Amino acid sequence: MDAKASREAEAADDAASRVCDTDPGFAEDLTVDVAVIGGGVIGHGIAFEASRAGRSVVVIDDAPGSGASWAAAGMLAPVSELHYQEEQLLELMLESSRLWPAFVAGIDAGPGIDSRAGAAAGPGSRAASGTGYLTTPTLAVGADAADRRALADLREVQQASGLTVEPLTVREARGREPLLSPGISCAFDIPADHQVDPRMLIARLTSLLGAEGRCRFVRRRAVGLLWEDGRVAGVRLAGGGSVRAAETVVANGLGAANLDGLPAGLQLPLRPVYGDILRLRVPAHLQPLLTATVRGMVRGVPVYIVPRQDGTVVIGATQREDGPSDPHAVSAGGVYQLLRDAQQLVPAVAELELLEATARARPGTPDNAPMLGRVSRPQGGDVPGLIIATGFFRHGVLLTPAAAVVCRQLMDGTPDPRWAGFRPDRFSRTPDASGDSPNKEAA
């Protein structure tokens, strides 16, 4: 990467650390209706939903928006992301996909929308100003005969689940996307898979929450839960101080398992799954490189190319569990693989300008489904005042509206029984002792 691109990457990381106005500390403790631990896209979405319901909210994160959300490509792809034996997760993904238009409409309804953003999206697409939300379809393409068979087999599974995936001839696919390689083996149209720009989304939500006056952002690290009379009563902060809340939502990804004061017996078996992702500028003579997201299979390895409205593209993403020495370290082999495979599908990728190579860890679970809900007590019922929302793995951006609604319904006392299978205590043993004493007492 040249010096200019390096400076841009450093500026991008710096922007992540300053993504919202923050309160550096307090002279005394805060008391609010809802404390959200975690300032990624899930935490922002939950805070937005709670605020819209009239609750006062504090979002607690020492580096908001700089984790997995910063690296995410923002594909809203319930159809493409279908995996074998994940039927219940598919239902949640489809529900969240259904919620996205209303979620974006709620964001659009706030102050500060730039009316020029919609025009910049171009013909045949819909962009939500300030979020990069586009309802352009997704194309799935294969590089060789084996990839064609794999995508055709997946289509059978998708169709069996009632999903729409239509085959295209190579000529039809290249008619829609002229820069696709003439050597691709197959193409499928997936009209229900869309995209959003997570960085724009978080920045917009931060601005909107601040403008509404019911939300504060506290740039401090949460170290544990506060307990009072058998219920979770808030959050302890690094360096002293606390936030007291009627409801505390743990939405800080991999950091959730490290909090002091989790309920006795609760196990949150989160694992870091690292992914490398690239951002590249498209030279003027090649714009638009693509008009729709391309999800490819190259010799059995997935790769995607997501076009942005600003003349850049996102290429991703590798998936590795190698435990690098630096959690933000980018794999040289991963960068090579992404560029090689993307170029095989779209040869003009070789002419793009590399702006940024980023790596982040996504929170995976043993069944690849999120931990979303309340935690049971040994004597019956749930621990009052506590909601867990973590482990979203590949689906954090897609599932943001659903996670926000689920959490709001739990706060309202009207849980949706469809999502009981995602309870965070499904991996936990029942504690032997009675009561709700936490794993590590947090006074």
Side-chain angles (χ1 to χ4, degrees), residues 52 76 94-108 126 128 133 135 194 401:
R52 285 203 296 178
L76 310 177
L94 290 172
E95 174 67 9
S96 201
S97 180
R98 185 188 66 79
L99 292 172
W100 260 99
F103 182 65
V104 168
I107 296 171
D108 277 350
R126 176 186 179 274
Y133 176 63
T135 57
H194 305 143

Side-chain angles (χ1 to χ4, degrees), residues 233-276:
V235 184
R236 289 192 303 114
L237 304 174
S242 65
V243 175
R244 304 187 72 84
E247 296 280 5
T248 297
V249 183
V250 176
N252 58 333
L254 290 164
N258 299 322
L259 288 172
D260 290 343
L262 292 173
L266 178 63
Q267 302 296 318
L268 300 179
L270 298 163
R271 73 185 194 281
V273 183
Y274 298 90
D276 307 297

Side-chain angles (χ1 to χ4, degrees), residues 95-426:
E95 174 67 9
S96 201
S97 180
R98 185 188 66 79
L99 292 172
W100 260 99
F103 182 65
V104 168
I107 296 171
D108 277 350
I113 288 293
D114 182 356
S115 61
R116 295 170 296 177
S125 63
R126 176 186 179 274
S129 305
T131 67
Y133 176 63
L134 292 168
T135 57
T136 48
T138 291
L139 289 181
V141 301
D144 60 24
D147 298 324
R148 181 174 66 245
R149 288 192 297 272
L151 289 174
D153 289 345
L154 177 59
R155 179 176 178 249
E156 291 183 3
V157 176
Q158 292 164 329
Q159 287 186 309
S161 298
L163 307 176
T164 299
V165 179
E166 296 297 338
L168 300 172
T169 65
V170 172
R171 180 184 295 242
E172 288 171 332
R174 297 192 72 233
R176 289 168 51 167
E177 300 292 350
L179 293 182
L180 280 173
S181 169
I184 61 173
S185 65
C186 65
F188 297 90
D189 179 36
I190 308 177
D193 284 359
H194 305 143
Q195 66 152 297
V196 72
D197 186 329
R199 296 181 181 182
M200 293 176 65
L201 175 65
I202 288 178
R204 174 63 188 150
L205 283 171
T206 299
S207 175
L208 189 58
L209 286 166
E212 289 182 345
R214 287 192 294 268
C215 183
R216 295 179 67 175
F217 290 85
V218 176
R219 285 195 62 166
R220 302 274 289 280
R221 183 173 60 87
V223 295
L225 303 178
L226 287 172
W227 286 75
E228 186 175 279
D229 299 327
R231 66 174 293 122
V232 172
V235 184
R236 289 192 303 114
L237 304 174
S242 65
V243 175
R244 304 187 72 84
E247 296 280 5
T248 297
V249 183
V250 176
N252 58 333
L254 290 164
N258 299 322
L259 288 172
D260 290 343
L262 292 173
L266 178 63
Q267 302 296 318
L268 300 179
L270 298 163
R271 73 185 194 281
V273 183
Y274 298 90
D276 307 297
I277 195 164
L278 310 177
R279 283 170 170 80
L280 304 95
R281 180 183 293 118
V282 182
H285 72 281
L286 289 175
Q287 293 187 19
L289 183 78
L290 297 168
T291 62
T293 296
V294 169
R295 294 181 68 115
M297 188 76 71
V298 180
R299 294 179 296 276
V301 178
V303 64
Y304 57 73
I305 309 172
V306 183
R308 292 283 193 243
Q309 297 169 248
D310 61 359
T312 64
V313 297
V314 179
I315 297 178
T318 60
Q319 188 168 298
R320 50 193 172 87
E321 302 188 36
D322 53 357
S325 56
D326 180 344
H328 292 176
V330 178
S331 163
V335 173
Y336 168 75
Q337 172 191 314
L338 292 174
L339 291 174
R340 177 199 66 198
D341 293 350
Q343 185 178 344
Q344 184 156 347
L345 301 177
V346 182
V349 164
E351 301 182 49
L352 307 189
E353 303 166 13
L354 183 60
L355 298 177
E356 179 185 329
T358 307
R360 293 293 189 271
R362 296 159 289 188
T365 64
D367 58 7
N368 292 333
M371 300 177 185
L372 181 60
R374 294 202 183 272
V375 178
S376 61
R377 299 187 297 183
Q379 69 268 40
D382 295 326
V383 175
L386 176 64
I387 299 171
I388 307 291
T390 187
F392 289 86
F393 191 24
R394 303 181 306 268
H395 313 301
V397 178
L398 168 61
L399 292 179
T400 292
V405 169
V406 168
C407 289
R408 191 253 305 152
Q409 290 172 336
L410 291 169
M411 296 175 200
D412 292 342
T414 58
D416 189 328
R418 289 180 296 170
W419 318 129
F422 299 111
R423 287 182 62 101
D425 51 14
R426 66 186 184 273

